[in-house]
Amino acid sequence: MEAPHNSPAAETVSEPAGATDPDPVGAVPEAVTVTLTVTSPEQMQDLGRRLARVLAPGDLVMLTGELGAGKTTLTRGLGEGLGVRGAVTSPTFVIARVHPSLVQGPALVHVDAYRLGGGLDEMEDLDLDVSLPESVVVVEWGDGKVEELSEDRLRVLIDRATGDTDDERREVTLVGIGARWAGLREALA
């Protein structure tokens, strides 16, 4: 799907999981899915700013995508939208960075779980469960590692063309899990 030239991103909104099939295999209860197409790093960063308007203290955001898909670029936009201090860069070698708010909002805790092999036990030293209630916690490569932190969470899956290509297009699928995300579709409109 290609974004129209006059819009920042083409959007396809999917029905909540299980809306048409009462018991689909692998369905997540109370999940809302929104799929968007972005065609540049600037649009990915803008998507992060748009998402920041929806986020609140206690939100857990899990980012999944290949290397170079745009996870940190999206998080940079989140940081701008939340009005946090410091440049948002990949925390790969420090594992986690905390960006305090400059506007009396929630801090942004940016975690890169790529090098962490275990589940939540290995991440326990990061005290994410302590940070979560008053912060927005964004975890790159968090699938299978941090789901236990919150029943309500936002999964962001970023798909890009692989191989030797200069294609900047990304398909971004937002999956809001839990009652907290019931209005995701409307909030992004």
Side-chain angles (χ1 to χ4, degrees), residues 8 18 20 34 47-48 63-64 68 84-85 90 93 95 110 123-124 144-145 155-156 158-159 164 167 172 181 187:
T20 57
V34 178
L47 175 58
L63 305 179
T64 301
V84 300
R85 184 180 70 204
S90 178
F93 298 104
I95 309 299
H110 184 197
M123 297 188 72
E124 197 168 282
K145 298 175 183 173
R155 289 188 67 223
V156 180
I158 306 172
D159 288 319
D164 188 17
D167 189 354
V172 181
W181 299 103

Side-chain angles (χ1 to χ4, degrees), residues 2-10 36-50 70 73-74 77 168-170 172:
E2 186 169 341
H5 296 288
N6 61 354
S7 73
L36 306 116
T37 299
V38 298
T39 59
S40 69
E42 295 78 21
Q43 286 183 3
M44 185 67 77
Q45 199 161 334
D46 183 60
L47 175 58
R49 287 189 290 271
R50 287 175 55 201
T73 301
L74 179 75
E168 296 286 344
R169 182 178 27 224
R170 307 291 194 259
V172 181

Side-chain angles (χ1 to χ4, degrees), residues 1 15 27 54 74-75 87 95-96 100 104 108-109 141 161-162 174 187:
M1 173 182 348
E15 290 302 314
V54 178
L74 179 75
T75 307
I95 309 299
Q104 312 311 320
L108 172 65
V109 178
W141 307 97
T162 56
L174 307 167

Side-chain angles (χ1 to χ4, degrees), residues 5 11-12 18 28 35 37 41 56 58-59 68 70 79 85 91 98 102 113 119 131 138-139 144-145:
H5 296 288
E11 298 184 23
T12 304
V28 178
T35 301
T37 299
D59 284 341
R85 184 180 70 204
V98 177
L102 295 171
S131 300
V138 176
V139 182
K145 298 175 183 173

Side-chain angles (χ1 to χ4, degrees), residues 54-164:
V54 178
L55 296 174
D59 284 341
L60 173 63
V61 180
M62 299 167 43
L63 305 179
T64 301
E66 297 288 325
L67 290 171
K71 296 178 298 296
T72 300
T73 301
L74 179 75
T75 307
R76 190 172 297 118
L78 288 173
E80 288 175 10
L82 291 171
V84 300
R85 184 180 70 204
V88 175
T89 59
S90 178
T92 299
F93 298 104
V94 294
I95 309 299
R97 293 183 196 276
V98 177
H99 298 275
S101 176
L102 295 171
V103 295
Q104 312 311 320
L108 172 65
V109 178
H110 184 197
V111 179
D112 187 329
Y114 183 74
R115 294 186 309 139
L116 302 177
L120 192 57
D121 292 340
E122 187 173 340
M123 297 188 72
E124 197 168 282
D125 289 339
L126 298 177
D127 288 330
L128 294 180
D129 54 338
V130 173
S131 300
L132 189 59
E134 69 272 355
S135 305
V136 170
V137 176
V138 176
V139 182
E140 296 186 27
W141 307 97
D143 283 349
K145 298 175 183 173
V146 297
E147 288 87 346
E148 295 173 30
L149 285 174
S150 178
E151 288 183 20
D152 296 319
R153 58 194 173 274
L154 180 63
R155 289 188 67 223
V156 180
L157 303 114
I158 306 172
D159 288 319
R160 68 174 180 90
T162 56
D164 188 17

